[in-house]
Amino acid sequence: MAADSTKPSVLIFGKRFEYMFKGSSLFSRSCGWRTTCLCMSRLLEVWASFHRFLLFLYQFLRIVDKYSVHPATTYIGPEFGKVLQKSEVEYRQANLTVAATIQAAFDPPAGKSEFDYVFDFTGEVRNDRSELIQISNTFAIARLLGLEAAKRKVKAFVRIQQPFYETSAKHTATEKDDIKPADTIGIWWHESLRMLASIEGLNLVILRIGFIYGPYTDFGNIISAITVASVYGYLQKPMKSMWSPGKNPTNTVHVEDVAGGSWACANWIAGHGRKAADELAGVPIPFHNEKTKVKEVEGMRPHDEKPVAPVFNLVHTSYLQFCLVLTRSYQVDDSSSTLVSTGQIVSSFFGTTFEFFNVIESTVFKFMDDLEDINEHHVEGWTEMLQKSNPPITNTPISAYMDKYTLEKHVVGFDNSKIKQVVGYKLLRPEFNHDNIKEVVDKWKEEGLWPNVSHP
C-alpha cells in the first residue's frame, strides 16, 4: 500500500485555522490510516501551527473560507502562504451560508475518497454584530456543516468553541457544569453545540478553548492586551487595572495547543466512533436561550432537550484577565501565582509596572459609555509608535483599540484535566510567560507590522 494511503484526508472551514500551521511535535506520530482533512472559519492564524505537524499526517488538505487569498482580502501570516504552495493543499474561497456551496466543498478531488477529518473553526467573533448576524454566521453555518458531515459519514468532526462563557470565580468549571453563555454572541455559539450534538450520525467532538494567543493571531483579548501593554511601556507609564484584585480567571491557550488538541481529538473520536465517545466523554448540553426562538430559528432543538456530546476543555493551567489594560492571574493547580505576579509578567516585559486604579477612578471608568474616551490614550500612543518606527508602519492588522467586550470583566475558568485523562493530550505551551510574549512580538516585527521603538 502506498505511504499516503495510510493518511487521512482533511477539510478545514474558517480563516482562523492558520494557527494550526504554526508548528508542533504532536503530529510526529502516524495516525495509521488514510485521512483527508477539510476546515473553515477565520482561523488562518491557527493553521500555520497545524501544518507543521500535519505535513506528514494528511494525504490531502482542503481549506474553505469566505476570504480571498490571491489577492488577499484579509491578513495572512507568512507561514500560511507557504502552506498554499504545496501540491497537496487546496484553498477554496466560498460563501458558507449557501448549502450547495458547502456540499461542493465536501466533494473530494477526482480519484480520491471522501474526506475523513473535518475541522470547524467557523463562527462570528465580533460581539457588536446583531443577533441575526450571530445566528447566520455561527448557528446556521455550523448546522450546514454538521448535516453535510453526517451525510458523508466523516470519521471526525471537531468543533472549536470560543470561550464566550461566564464561569464562577470560586472554582474552575468542568465539562459537566452548567455555565452561562456570555451575551448574545455566547448564546448562539452555545446553541450551535446543542444543535450539532443532536445530529444523528455526526462523529462530533467539541473543543472548548480559552482566549487564544500566539504568532500571527490578530484577534481576541490577548493580542489587544499585549498591544496596549506595549504602549504603556513606550510611554513609560504604569499599566492600571480598573478591576480590583481577586480570583477572577480568564483562561488562555496558545495557538499550538489549539492545533494539537484539535488533531488529538480527531484521532480520538475516529478511533472510537460517536456512541463510544459519548459513553466516555459525553455531557448533556443545556438550553440557554429564549424559548420563543425555537420556532423562529430553523434547526433549534426544543428547550427541554439536553443533547449529549463529547466536550473537552482546552486551556492553560494559568489564567490571565485583561480589562482596560492587564488585570489578574489565577492558577488552577497548586497555585502560587497571584494577580500582582502575573500582571508583572506582561508589564515588566515592556519595561513598566502594574498597578490598580483607586476606587473612585475605577468607578468612573466602569460608568463610562464612550469607548472612544476610554481608548483615546493608548490608541494615540500606538499611532505614535507606528509613525516613529524605522521605517514608519502605515498598515498593520494589530490595533490598540479595545472594544466593549474586551474592556468588560470576564470570568472564564475551565478545568482541563479531562482532555489529559481521556484523550491523553499534553499541553505544548502550558504557561503564559515572557517567552511566549516575545515570540508573538518578534514575529510581528519580522513582518514589519510591530513598531521597533522603545520610548518617545
Side-chain angles (χ1 to χ4, degrees):
M1 184 177 290
D4 66 355
S5 66
T6 66
K7 302 175 183 178
S9 235
V10 180
L11 180 59
I12 299 174
F13 291 92
K15 192 243 179 196
R16 288 195 171 82
F17 54 70
E18 187 186 348
Y19 53 63
M20 300 186 80
F21 293 113
K22 287 191 172 65
S24 167
S25 60
L26 174 72
F27 296 106
S28 60
R29 290 171 271 176
S30 171
C31 55
W33 47 280
R34 180 187 180 282
T35 300
T36 302
C37 183
L38 173 64
C39 319
M40 289 171 111
S41 172
R42 197 186 178 282
L43 288 166
L44 292 176
E45 294 78 16
V46 179
W47 269 105
S49 285
F50 208 11
H51 183 263
R52 291 185 186 173
F53 42 68
L54 278 181
L55 180 59
F56 301 106
L57 295 178
Y58 65 77
Q59 177 187 157
F60 177 76
L61 170 65
R62 176 180 292 163
I63 303 162
V64 187
D65 195 32
K66 66 180 180 180
Y67 296 95
S68 167
V69 294
H70 297 298
T73 58
T74 185
Y75 168 73
I76 297 177
E79 295 289 341
F80 187 66
K82 298 175 184 177
V83 170
L84 297 182
Q85 297 174 8
K86 299 184 180 297
S87 60
E88 67 273 20
V89 177
E90 173 193 324
Y91 182 87
R92 181 177 296 189
Q93 183 182 10
N95 182 352
L96 303 182
T97 64
V98 179
T101 300
I102 287 180
Q103 292 171 8
F106 273 81
D107 290 336
K112 294 186 180 294
S113 63
E114 295 281 350
F115 288 97
D116 301 300
Y117 289 1
V118 175
F119 296 90
D120 177 12
F121 293 100
T122 62
E124 181 58 61
V125 295
R126 287 183 53 180
N127 191 54
D128 59 348
R129 296 294 180 91
S130 69
E131 183 175 46
L132 288 177
I133 293 178
Q134 301 291 350
I135 295 171
S136 174
N137 291 359
T138 301
F139 182 87
I141 290 177
R143 180 171 178 265
L144 292 175
L145 293 177
L147 290 171
E148 190 65 25
K151 176 183 175 182
R152 305 282 181 140
K153 294 180 170 55
V154 300
K155 297 177 176 67
F157 184 93
V158 180
R159 169 69 177 181
I160 304 301
Q161 177 73 0
Q162 296 291 332
F164 299 128
Y165 288 100
E166 298 293 339
T167 65
S168 172
K170 297 179 180 179
H171 59 82
T172 56
T174 70
E175 290 81 353
K176 293 182 179 180
D177 291 334
D178 183 2
I179 55 178
K180 181 183 177 181
D183 302 332
T184 302
I185 189 171
I187 288 173
W188 289 105
W189 273 85
H190 180 81
E191 194 64 46
S192 299
L193 303 187
R194 296 183 71 248
M195 171 272 300
L196 289 171
S198 69
I199 296 177
E200 186 175 352
L202 180 62
N203 288 316
L204 170 69
V205 178
I206 296 166
L207 192 60
R208 195 163 62 184
I209 65 174
F211 290 102
I212 194 169
Y213 74 95
Y216 316 121
T217 305
D218 64 342
F219 69 99
N221 290 19
I222 309 307
I223 184 59
S224 293
I226 292 174
T227 305
V228 170
S230 73
V231 173
Y232 284 95
Y234 167 77
L235 297 174
Q236 298 179 325
K237 295 182 178 180
M239 294 174 59
K240 290 188 177 183
S241 168
M242 68 188 207
W243 304 106
S244 60
K247 292 182 177 180
N248 297 306
T250 297
N251 286 165
T252 59
V253 65
H254 194 278
V255 292
E256 287 190 1
D257 280 308
V258 177
S262 298
W263 189 259
C265 285
N267 281 338
W268 176 78
I269 195 165
H272 287 89
R274 177 63 181 277
K275 182 178 180 180
D278 280 349
E279 293 174 353
L280 290 168
V283 296
I285 305 176
F287 186 80
H288 283 291
N289 210 322
E290 298 176 20
K291 294 179 182 180
T292 57
K293 298 291 184 183
V294 175
K295 293 182 179 180
E296 298 173 4
V297 179
E298 183 180 5
M300 275 190 68
R301 305 307 303 165
H303 73 276
D304 55 353
E305 283 189 14
K306 291 185 179 181
V308 173
V311 179
F312 296 101
N313 294 332
L314 181 65
V315 296
H316 285 167
T317 54
S318 60
Y319 297 84
L320 212 56
Q321 172 78 33
F322 295 104
C323 296
L324 181 61
V325 284
L326 179 87
T327 48
R328 56 192 62 78
S329 171
Y330 179 71
Q331 192 90 15
V332 176
D333 302 315
D334 300 323
S335 175
S336 59
S337 181
T338 66
L339 163 63
V340 175
S341 65
T342 302
Q344 289 174 341
I345 290 175
V346 178
S347 59
S348 63
F349 181 83
F350 293 105
T352 187
T353 57
F354 177 64
E355 301 174 6
F356 296 95
F357 288 111
N358 62 41
V359 175
I360 296 176
E361 291 172 323
S362 181
T363 301
V364 170
F365 275 119
K366 292 174 186 178
F367 281 97
M368 288 180 68
D369 292 326
D370 191 341
L371 294 179
E372 304 305 320
D373 287 345
I374 296 175
N375 277 283
E376 180 179 8
H377 191 59
H378 46 261
V379 168
E380 288 183 354
W382 179 246
T383 301
E384 181 179 312
M385 291 170 67
L386 295 174
Q387 293 172 343
K388 290 188 175 181
S389 184
N390 186 18
I393 299 172
T394 58
N395 186 28
T396 177
I398 314 160
S399 173
Y401 184 87
M402 305 183 92
D403 62 19
K404 182 176 180 292
Y405 184 86
T406 304
L407 289 169
E408 292 173 342
K409 181 175 72 173
H410 297 287
V411 180
V412 181
F414 293 142
D415 184 311
N416 65 6
S417 58
K418 182 179 174 182
I419 194 171
K420 298 176 183 178
Q421 296 168 0
V422 177
V423 178
Y425 183 69
K426 182 179 180 180
L427 287 166
L428 302 167
R429 301 290 190 100
E431 297 180 1
F432 183 87
N433 53 33
H434 272 195
D435 289 340
N436 289 332
I437 299 172
K438 184 177 186 300
E439 175 192 36
V440 170
V441 174
D442 285 351
K443 292 292 186 182
W444 290 121
K445 284 185 176 180
E446 288 174 10
E447 290 191 81
L449 301 176
W450 188 281
N452 53 22
V453 293
S454 57
H455 54 79

